[in-house]
Amino acid sequence: MADIGSLLCGDDEHEGLARSALQQLSRSISTFAGKSVGFLSSEASIDAQVFGPFCARVLLENGCAALVGRLDAFRMLYLSEFQAQPQYETGKRAKSAFSWAGDVIPEEKTKEMWSVDHDVPKISRALFSSYVSHVFWEPAVERMLDFVSSKTTELDVADLLSLDAENYINSTKGKCLQLYSTLSKGVHWEFFTSSLLFDEESVKSMIRDTLVLVSQLGLISHFIPTAHASLSPERAFDLYCSFRRDIP
Amino acid sequence: MNLQVDEGTDSGLILAAEECPPESFEKFHSFSTNDNVIIRKLSAHGPVLIRGGRGSGKSALLIEAYRRMRAGEAVFPVYISLRYLPLLQSDGPEYIQHFCMLLSEHIQKELSLRGFAEDFPSVSEEIRLQLGLAQLSQNLNRRIVLLFDDAAHIGREKPLEVFFDLFRTISSNLTSCKASIYPGVTKFGVRFDVFNDSTVVDISRSDVAAVPDFFPEVVRARYPKLAQRSMFSDRLSPQQFANLLGRAVVGNLRGFILACNRFLLQEKIGIPEMSKCFLEMAQDYYWPLMDEVAPKLGVYEPLIEPARELIEAIVENSARPVKSGQRTIAQDRVLIHRQLVSQNIKLFEISEYLGFVARREASRAMKSGGRGPVFAINLCSLLDSIPSTRLTNEMMEEWLSGAQEAAEIHISGQAFSSIKLPALVEEHGLAILTKQVSVLGKSSAYPYGLGPNVIDRLRNAGIHTVGELVSKTNEELDRIEYIGDVRIQQIRDVLYQAIWM
């Protein structure tokens, strides 16, 4: 299977703490993406129903964590350092730990983006915040579109070319929220009614949506000039195409 | 979809999937790999909006999802067309009441049809509908999927906000709502967040180079005769025929089927026959479509003329280099500066809806600076505007390859300078309902319209407007002298075409 780990985590040519953190995430992403693609490509099975949502959720979380790390190296390095400290205990919740709500999904209350009254801590650096969207994702989507439209490939890239830079993060955030919530229901087994159990169509649909979503985010991240460990656009697009060919 | 090609009776409604007899549906419909992904999404947990222009195949996807779910045991699916006049004429609490009644009746009908012992109450309030759905899911031990077809009418936006509110309210872990909408649907109301409360799936088939097997597959399923090599000249293969027709109608399935119908009586098909088909489609299908749709556009009716000017300007922009000898082949795609698109957004939505253009790319950098979306242009209109009006082998190959550079219309150019947007009035309902019944007479817009004799008889019976006619029951119409079952069906068919999208 194509190297989806590198598509999300970038190259591993840079020495240092960031490299080992991203290498670890890359291995995890590749493992869970491989399992997810396997479930998607196979006939319905109990394994797919039980483990499919779990694998897809890990992929979604790890993929987003890798992107947070590459876009905000300080956050990644802080977490790496902190987890090596004696104060970090695995059995105890750390308030500064990586979290879905906060690091990925912003807690934005104000609609007004630009104001002299905004304090720095309130300017969200979450992966899908309006600020990160404005400074990183929107221009990156446009660069990606120009690059992809200049390429010829046998892969149907209509879904990529239809991405709207302005709405990309709003739309991706909405999809992530829905996927995370639904996949979690498959993980937590919180259902007390059997009519809610995920059937093959639901599991496969969720897995596919997750694979497509993280691969698109991974591709676009390499068009952010300040992102850490970015691949060349050609290499990123090759990886993306190889990966998408494996997704039925 | 009426499978007969008898022009006297098909009333122009031969193309709607929802009209296809259920026993023939499978035989006459084929689905691509991408379609199967959409169908799976329509069957899975979660709210989905499926978006595409007129005749893009939305209904077929909803019906196929319904058919597949019916064959399984995990889901109780209900397919419901919202082509119901009271919904079009109401808003607010009245709309909610009609909607709840209509949905509960359909659920009960589906339960009876499937032989389930459970009953569904006839309800007129959303809270009772919600409770009823939750109860039903528990009793059946299945989750419920509601497939709403024709949820959006391009000419009536106000009730749409109520619809999306209902869509959100009744969506739950036990009930998944799916609905088909048009590209021009932008008013979702204050409670419905399109990004968080649904997943939007766009249907686009205009790029035949990227998906080269879809249209040939449709031809093999629907028109086996047109898939035979012996039907074609040496310079035209069945694959090229299907893909060129698909590309010509910018991937619109309704346009595609209409185009295929024109070849059924041919003995041999070559490039000149394709050329003739394109030109005829431009003249007797696409331009008359404007007249047919105008009175259905409601508050946007005054935009139909500017939309016509917009299309003419786009086509002229692509044909001009051929006229001046700068190019031998007209560019079949156009990159338009985004500011021009946003200034004329409704005109683009109407043009897309009618199948004159199809959005191919969301945004691309222009050579002359700035950015904008790329649209594929309808090849029927394009060929009609080229001086030779003759399709050549070179054109066919270039247009099929998709490799041609897109034309550009820049903000500083004059291409759209003559287009004036009229001021729009408050939404007041559909103009078609207040028009005289004579508009339903035979015309280029209604090729299977009513004869003058029928129109006179309706008038003599005191039926003067389309709104009055549509409110009459079959029994009331039957009482009019010389109007029997066949004429009543014809009246219903023409009304259907005149009112619905």
Side-chain angles (χ1 to χ4, degrees), chain A residues 142 145-146 149 156 161-163 167 170-171 174 177-178 185 193-196 198-199 201-202 205 208-209, chain B residues 37 40-41 44-45 74 137 141-143 173-174 195-196 198-199 210-211 338 361-365 371:
Chain A
E142 292 194 339
L145 290 173
D146 291 340
S149 61
D156 180 7
L161 294 177
S162 68
L163 295 179
N167 286 321
N170 267 338
S171 157
L177 281 167
Q178 289 181 51
K185 289 183 170 70
T193 167
S194 57
S195 56
L196 275 177
F198 289 146
D199 42 57
E201 300 296 280
S202 292
S205 191
R208 191 179 188 282
D209 285 351
Chain B
V37 170
R40 186 163 63 200
K41 207 176 252 302
H45 278 82
S137 173
N141 204 20
R142 295 170 183 228
R143 61 189 177 87
N173 286 329
L174 291 164
F195 297 124
N196 287 318
S198 69
T199 301
V211 191
R338 57 183 164 193
E361 295 174 28
S363 171
R364 191 195 274 206
R371 307 187 64 83

Side-chain angles (χ1 to χ4, degrees), chain B residues 67-111:
Chain B
R67 282 169 26 85
R68 291 186 193 179
M69 283 185 278
R70 267 190 79 159
E73 291 185 349
V75 186
F76 176 70
V78 181
Y79 169 86
I80 170 170
S81 169
L82 297 181
R83 290 186 175 201
Y84 180 55
L85 198 58
L87 288 179
L88 200 57
Q89 293 173 310
S90 58
D91 193 14
E94 197 188 339
Y95 181 98
I96 294 172
Q97 195 179 341
H98 287 305
F99 177 90
C100 293
M101 292 292 284
L102 185 70
L103 180 55
S104 44
E105 279 166 21
H106 265 76
I107 294 171
Q108 179 55 52
K109 204 169 133 192
E110 184 70 22
L111 285 167

Side-chain angles (χ1 to χ4, degrees), chain A residues 10 22 38 50 67 78 95 121 130 137 159 179 184 210:
Chain A
L22 287 170
V50 174
L67 293 171
Y78 166 81
K95 285 184 180 176
S130 49
W137 292 110
D159 60 341
L179 275 173
S184 301
T210 309

Side-chain angles (χ1 to χ4, degrees), chain A residues 17-18 21-22 25 64-83 88 93-105 107 124-127 132 136 228:
Chain A
L17 202 52
L22 287 170
L25 278 167
C64 289
L67 293 171
V68 166
R70 286 186 45 230
L71 264 56
D72 188 353
F74 171 79
R75 182 76 179 125
M76 170 169 57
L77 294 173
Y78 166 81
L79 288 167
S80 296
E81 285 288 352
F82 181 51
Q83 287 177 10
Y88 180 79
R93 187 182 179 277
K95 285 184 180 176
S96 62
F98 180 85
S99 69
W100 180 254
D103 279 309
V104 179
I105 306 297
E107 290 160 353
S124 173
R125 291 164 75 157
L127 190 62
V132 172
F136 288 150
H228 178 67

Side-chain angles (χ1 to χ4, degrees), chain B residues 197-253:
Chain B
D197 294 329
S198 69
T199 301
V200 180
V201 180
D202 284 301
I203 305 178
S204 169
R205 305 180 202 276
S206 69
D207 191 357
V208 292
V211 191
D213 297 327
F214 179 74
F215 285 105
E217 187 55 45
V218 172
V219 171
R220 278 192 287 276
R222 295 277 290 261
Y223 303 98
K225 185 186 159 193
L226 298 180
Q228 291 171 12
R229 184 67 190 89
S230 57
M231 276 294 296
F232 296 91
S233 69
D234 293 344
R235 295 170 72 192
L236 184 68
S237 70
Q239 180 95 2
Q240 285 173 317
F241 165 80
N243 278 330
L244 191 60
L245 274 193
R247 170 59 195 86
V249 299
V250 289
N252 186 290
L253 278 168

